[in-house]
Amino acid sequence: MPVLFAAVYAGWVVPQLWSLVVRRVAPEGALAALLFMSLLCLAAVILGWRMGTRRTVNPLAGLLPRVHEGKVGKAAVILTGFALIGFLGLGADPIEAQGSTMWTGHAAIFSLILSIKTASFALSLMYFLRRKTGLSTALLVINVVMFAPYIIFYFRRHVILEACLIAAYAFLVVRSYAVPRVAVIAGLMVTSMGMFAAEEIRGISGEGQVPRLSEIAEIDFLALNPINNPQASPEIENAANLVSAVQISDRYTLGGQFWNRFVFQYVPAQFVGADVKQGLMLTPWPAELTYSVTGYVPSAGSTQTGIATAFMEFWYFGCLLFYFNAYIMGRLWLRALAGNSWDKVWYAAGIVPSLHMVTHHSAVFYVSFSFFVAILTFVAYFLRGNLRANNPGGLRSAGLPAPKA
């Protein structure tokens, strides 16, 4: 994970920070605070990962249930079925609604269910790599089909990231095949350019049309990089203004954003009513606080970044949110190396939400991963795969060296 975080910093954070430094548009004092907070968050990830990957008894071993290896195929079928319900539910909407990222009504519920495709794709691919049967092939094809529209037609960056990382992860943990470093570096360069040109690519794709290579070749990718075009990606500028608003107002939400995100994602307004849902919110959203204090209006569709929202929550101590994220993922990584296919799914489910802590908001891992925990736990116990019964000793009974006295 430290490598993945470093890649996000190098390809996404640094170009935008450079743009702010050159243009000198950040509020006074906010840029220095944002730079320091960025370094703290990255250092917290490194420290959290090192602590999490220490080979001691795994505290997560008794909390997260396991599916018996012989029932992995059944688990893949159930997870794929969950995701397919969401996929077909969204498929019933108009084409422009399917490509949206801000769903409302029943579409919001279907999109939440569809998010389980991260785990279903990981498990089905690992199942296919272990056993090439008719069932494993069919499951893999269904999962690829669920990813395809959001990659080919809508060019959703997070979906592309999910697909690539999970595929690389599956080959690593099943076949012990690591992507060559040259390919990784080349992929990061292409990803960095394509990331900032996403809107241009979506613009030429039309309504469900596949963009032609000739059209993509006409895009000036260098001109869309924040170093050359500051307006190409304004997220870090949003972050600087949010940090400034927090410093001026001296208003820290102390976990309020976590609650807001849980309410926003898991309380359906069509059942309880929009007014009731809004009344459950504890604190103003980051964009609302920024506007009320500084008058700055973020660009539509842009994020506030998890670096800034962590600062909004707990001042510089917000970096601890990144520490605990990395610690949990480190424990899951050890569990994945020592366990069966289901153990590997736990780590796969947390990869992209972890990286979104940098690009989106600081609560995304904890809010999104809780949904995965609920679904995966339900499936595990449905298949009678209780970890406490099968592996009471955690990592120690899984074959890893016992901790030194």
Side-chain angles (χ1 to χ4, degrees):
M1 273 194 60
V3 175
L4 295 178
F5 268 85
V8 174
Y9 266 67
W12 190 82
V13 176
V14 171
Q16 295 186 67
L17 280 173
W18 176 263
S19 173
L20 288 186
V21 171
V22 172
R23 293 187 296 138
R24 300 181 182 276
V25 296
E28 183 178 357
L31 181 58
L34 182 61
L35 286 169
F36 184 56
M37 185 65 180
S38 300
L39 292 174
L40 282 179
C41 292
L42 186 58
V45 168
I46 297 172
L47 180 60
W49 179 261
R50 289 189 175 183
M51 296 298 294
T53 52
R54 295 173 62 188
R55 292 192 172 186
T56 58
V57 174
N58 193 342
L60 301 179
L63 297 176
L64 302 178
R66 164 187 287 176
V67 168
H68 189 275
E69 194 71 29
K71 298 182 179 180
V72 165
K74 293 181 180 179
V77 170
I78 296 174
L79 288 180
T80 301
F82 269 118
L84 193 58
I85 291 173
F87 181 75
L88 296 177
L90 282 180
D93 287 338
I95 191 71
E96 61 273 9
Q98 296 177 38
S100 174
T101 56
M102 295 296 292
W103 289 284
T104 58
H106 70 277
I109 298 177
F110 284 127
S111 67
L112 178 63
I113 297 173
L114 179 59
S115 66
I116 204 67
K117 72 182 186 301
T118 302
S120 66
F121 176 51
L123 187 58
S124 65
L125 179 54
M126 289 187 290
Y127 183 45
F128 175 80
L129 292 175
R130 286 182 180 273
R131 299 179 59 188
K132 292 182 176 62
T133 63
L135 176 61
S136 65
T137 302
L139 290 172
L140 180 59
V141 169
I142 292 173
N143 279 276
V144 169
V145 167
M146 287 190 288
F147 271 84
Y150 301 98
I151 295 175
I152 299 174
F153 298 137
Y154 311 123
F155 199 74
R156 294 300 171 201
R157 291 171 291 189
H158 74 280
V159 179
I160 297 173
L161 182 64
E162 278 181 336
C164 293
L165 287 180
I166 291 173
Y169 170 72
F171 276 93
L172 177 64
V173 297
V174 176
R175 294 291 183 83
S176 298
Y177 172 79
V179 179
R181 293 182 180 179
V182 174
V184 172
I185 294 173
L188 289 175
M189 294 175 64
V190 172
T191 300
S192 182
M193 291 190 297
M195 186 183 303
F196 298 115
E199 291 300 326
E200 293 288 328
I201 297 175
R202 292 171 194 154
I204 64 177
S205 65
E207 295 186 354
Q209 301 297 319
V210 180
R212 294 191 296 270
L213 291 178
S214 59
E215 295 175 318
I216 296 178
E218 294 176 358
I219 298 175
D220 190 348
F221 289 93
L222 293 178
L224 294 174
N225 191 284
I227 295 177
N228 299 316
N229 181 7
Q231 303 305 318
S233 192
E235 281 81 4
I236 297 299
E237 185 173 348
N238 295 345
N241 281 275
L242 175 57
V243 168
S244 177
V246 172
Q247 290 177 322
I248 294 172
S249 64
D250 197 28
R251 184 172 184 177
Y252 298 93
T253 50
L254 303 177
Q257 291 302 310
F258 273 68
W259 173 256
N260 283 1
R261 291 289 175 180
F262 269 104
V263 171
F264 179 78
Q265 186 157 328
Y266 298 123
V267 177
Q270 61 268 39
F271 294 154
V272 302
D275 292 338
V276 173
K277 182 172 182 176
Q278 184 61 37
L280 292 174
M281 304 291 183
L282 295 179
T283 60
W285 291 101
E288 295 174 344
L289 179 65
T290 302
Y291 178 74
S292 65
V293 175
T294 67
Y296 175 81
V297 180
S299 301
S302 61
T303 67
Q304 302 295 311
T305 80
I307 299 171
T309 56
F311 184 87
M312 179 183 183
E313 290 275 59
F314 302 109
W315 191 56
Y316 291 112
F317 293 108
C319 69
L320 293 176
L321 298 176
F322 288 80
Y323 170 87
F324 290 118
N325 167 229
Y327 177 83
I328 292 172
M329 291 298 289
R331 304 313 295 171
L332 293 177
W333 175 249
L334 282 188
R335 178 183 165 112
L337 294 182
N340 64 4
S341 297
W342 191 254
D343 292 316
K344 296 173 175 60
V345 174
W346 288 110
Y347 183 82
I351 295 176
V352 174
S354 295
L355 298 181
H356 279 174
M357 283 190 65
V358 178
T359 59
H360 287 63
H361 55 85
S362 54
V364 64
F365 169 79
Y366 303 96
V367 174
S368 298
F369 193 67
S370 62
F371 176 70
F372 286 108
V373 169
I375 295 297
L376 296 180
T377 299
F378 167 78
V379 174
Y381 280 105
F382 177 78
L383 296 174
R384 303 296 190 270
N386 194 323
L387 176 61
R388 292 183 185 274
N390 294 338
N391 187 24
L395 294 178
R396 190 171 180 179
S397 65
L400 288 179
K404 297 180 180 180

